[in-house]
Amino acid sequence: MPTTVLIGAQWGDEGKGKVTDHLSESADVVVRYQGGNNAGHTIVVGDERFALTLIPSGVLYPQVTPVIGNGCVIDPNVLVTEMAELDSRGIDPTRLRISGNAHLIMPYHRKLDAVLERFLGQQQIGTTKRGIGPAYMDKYSRQGIRVQDLFDPKIFRQKLDIAIKDKNKILTKVYNSLPIDAEPIAEEYLDYADSLRDYVTDTSLLLWRAQQAGKKVIFEGAQGTLLDIDHGTYPFVTSSNPTAGGAPIGSGIGPKTIDKVLGVAKAYITRVGTGPFPTELHDDVGNRMVDLGGEFGTVTGRRRRCGWLDLVALRYAVRVNGLTELAMTKLDILSHFDMLKVAVAYDSLGERFEEFPRQQRVLYNCHPVYEELPGWSTDISDVRNYGDLPKEARSYIEYVEETIGIPVTMIGVGPARDATVLRAT
Ligand code: GDP
Ligand code: IMO
Ligand code: MG
């Protein structure tokens, strides 16, 4: 299938980096279409670990053209640093192509992200403080500065002056914070023009041509379905559309050119930041998931909240993304538990919900209805063939497939590139 969209089916950190890397071996183009350096995608190759925040995971393969699409927000300092880091590790970053329509994260976006969170206090989102929300706010209020503006210093200065005037009013008058100075920002950002000039192109056209030539194109979602600004657990979400519908919009391709939509979900579920989480465990089981799964954020190092696999939420992800198949990661972590639970419904406010509730009030009061499944208590990290998995592990996978109605075609049994069990469909 030439065009595949890969998305996070939970609250992010599902292992999208590893799965994208796996698919990239035979890919020609790998595209990020939303988000920015709030993402942290880990790929383990032998003894080496790569944690990519902005550059698509496909960059590790020399035949891949990595693309940052128009739907992304770019912190140029982070981008230039990530490119230099890859270069220093023997990965050529010069194949990267960047949309001139992508928006820039400016220093005042980071500052506003921090003051907005402070202002929210107890109600804070727990953002990554990378300036993501404020950058998208400017995009939609049509005050954003785009990558292409870096190459026209006069326009850049004009837009920056307008933005700074506005931001300084907000910072000083609303948030009682110090104003910011335009001059050092202009100097810093106009320097990036030289570093990035060669990589900026019409990425929509690039993708069109690649698709016309029958090339294999992969869209690598960042964050996850439940963090989607429209379909997630609003307001505890990110400010973009990680769901599959975001891919055509965030890259400039037509929706009918997508052949396959692959969801990535952990065999359990995690969340970083605040917001409702029906299957969250506050007990020793949850603590063990954190320890065994190494559940600490790639970007911020924050401890991830952990819980049993939520099949209500996963069926929702199948629906809102139109998933055609699922990659289930971290099955090896469940080897340490004798008995496993999966949520099949929620009880809330005196009602039973089999579909993901759309009302925040309902979601907050949810008590999951669990199905218990036997564990396998055997190390599966060396298994490479589906038939060699313990029967309880296969039953777990097959129970999930039956409940969500799509096949699990890929199973992760370890962080390494080859620690994957593939299943024919
Ligand atoms: P992403 O944001 O979706 O790319 O996921 P992250 O990289 O933030 O977090 C996933 C973590 O799980 C990383 O540390 C991966 O190396 C690791 N990982 C991915 N797949 C597996 C797996 O099947 N088993 C284990 N044990 N770890 C995995
Ligand atoms: P990857 O791509 C997990 C969460 C933050 C916060 C909310 C809003 O690695 O899966 P933001 O900075 O985006 O405004 O924060 O979204 N969040 C993520 N959680 N994985 C991510 O990315 C995330 N990116 C943002 O923790 O709750
Ligand atoms: Mg991550």
Side-chain angles (χ1 to χ4, degrees):
M1 291 279 191
T3 295
T4 299
V5 176
L6 177 153
I7 60 95
Q10 298 166 325
W11 275 293
D13 300 328
E14 297 91 348
K16 297 177 293 294
K18 186 193 147 176
V19 179
T20 303
D21 173 69
H22 177 85
L23 298 182
S24 298
E25 191 175 2
S26 59
D28 300 295
V29 186
V30 181
V31 193
R32 278 278 308 269
Y33 58 88
Q34 46 71 231
N37 59 310
N38 46 349
H41 298 175
T42 318
I43 305 156
V44 178
V45 186
D47 295 336
E48 286 210 74
R49 181 177 170 277
F50 295 87
L52 297 165
T53 66
L54 200 48
I55 297 180
S57 298
V59 71
L60 301 192
Y61 285 97
Q63 87 287 358
V64 166
T65 302
V67 171
I68 300 181
N70 56 274
C72 293
V73 285
I74 298 177
D75 186 325
N77 180 34
V78 172
L79 179 59
V80 168
T81 308
E82 196 157 81
M83 288 177 79
E85 268 172 27
L86 283 171
D87 195 36
S88 74
R89 296 175 71 176
I91 310 285
D92 171 21
T94 62
R95 289 165 285 129
L96 181 68
R97 294 295 174 264
I98 305 164
S99 167
N101 288 355
H103 280 245
L104 292 170
I105 297 181
M106 306 296 291
Y108 45 80
H109 292 140
R110 287 193 300 272
K111 189 159 182 186
L112 281 166
D113 199 349
V115 294
L116 273 163
E117 283 283 269
R118 209 179 316 138
F119 168 76
L120 286 170
Q122 292 276 316
Q123 268 72 48
Q124 68 174 237
I125 314 275
T127 72
T128 59
K129 299 211 174 74
R130 300 299 190 261
I132 306 293
Y136 279 112
M137 281 160 70
D138 273 358
K139 169 175 174 170
Y140 287 101
S141 68
R142 293 162 294 184
Q143 289 186 319
I145 304 182
R146 298 191 293 177
V147 169
Q148 59 179 280
D149 297 325
L150 290 173
F151 308 109
D152 190 331
K154 201 167 149 227
I155 296 240
F156 182 85
R157 274 310 301 241
Q158 246 173 29
K159 291 189 174 179
L160 181 65
D161 287 341
I162 293 172
I164 293 264
K165 232 185 253 166
D166 176 66
K167 303 308 170 217
N168 276 344
K169 268 192 206 140
I170 298 171
L171 282 169
T172 57
K173 303 217 159 86
V174 181
Y175 295 109
N176 214 11
S177 204
L178 290 172
I180 37 182
D181 187 4
E183 203 49 50
I185 298 179
E187 247 172 64
E188 181 193 342
Y189 273 62
L190 290 171
D191 265 358
Y192 295 130
D194 292 332
S195 317
L196 298 178
R197 191 181 312 275
D198 291 347
Y199 311 115
V200 178
T201 191
D202 182 341
T203 48
S204 163
L205 183 61
L206 181 156
L207 291 171
W208 165 262
R209 289 188 173 145
Q211 288 182 318
Q212 293 290 308
K215 304 266 189 201
K216 186 167 167 185
V217 181
I218 296 168
F219 289 88
E220 178 184 20
Q223 290 81 53
T225 303
L226 300 172
L227 287 172
D228 187 282
I229 185 89
D230 285 285
H231 304 291
T233 49
Y234 191 91
F236 302 99
V237 292
T238 192
S239 299
S240 66
N241 288 112
T243 46
I249 292 177
S251 66
I253 61 142
K256 284 183 79 176
T257 62
I258 297 166
D259 301 291
K260 196 155 107 172
V261 187
L262 171 68
V264 184
K266 277 178 188 161
Y268 48 103
I269 190 166
T270 64
R271 170 165 212 172
V272 211
T274 44
F277 183 169
T279 64
E280 181 169 17
L281 293 165
H282 297 282
D283 58 5
D284 190 45
V285 176
N287 291 336
R288 285 180 65 212
M289 282 177 180
V290 174
D291 293 341
L292 295 163
E295 295 298 352
F296 293 93
T298 313
V299 174
T300 56
R302 287 178 293 172
R303 185 186 166 90
R304 295 176 183 149
R305 301 154 66 193
C306 289
W308 294 117
L309 184 62
D310 185 339
L311 293 178
V312 182
L314 198 53
R315 275 199 303 122
Y316 176 67
V318 171
R319 169 157 58 94
V320 297
N321 293 290
L323 296 186
T324 53
E325 57 191 89
L326 191 79
M328 180 171 280
T329 60
K330 294 196 147 184
L331 189 68
D332 52 308
I333 304 305
L334 294 187
S335 302
H336 300 268
F337 299 90
D338 302 336
M339 190 272 301
L340 310 172
K341 291 187 187 181
V342 291
V344 291
Y346 304 143
D347 280 339
S348 180
L349 307 171
E351 236 186 285
R352 179 150 296 190
F353 291 84
E354 284 179 357
E355 300 295 343
F356 196 71
R358 296 306 300 145
Q359 259 180 302
Q360 211 183 339
R361 194 167 62 92
V362 175
L363 203 54
Y364 263 108
N365 290 287
C366 268
H367 300 282
V369 179
Y370 285 117
E371 191 69 40
E372 292 193 359
L373 301 169
W376 45 92
S377 305
T378 340
D379 184 5
I380 57 167
S381 52
D382 290 328
V383 174
R384 296 292 177 270
N385 297 308
Y386 187 70
D388 295 336
L389 283 172
K391 81 172 182 326
E392 294 84 358
R394 280 181 279 132
S395 299
Y396 187 79
I397 296 285
E398 286 157 29
Y399 184 88
V400 171
E401 284 182 322
E402 213 168 284
T403 313
I404 65 174
I406 57 164
V408 175
T409 53
M410 213 184 279
I411 298 156
V413 291
R417 208 177 228 180
D418 70 333
T420 305
V421 174
L422 295 181
R423 257 176 103 206
T425 42

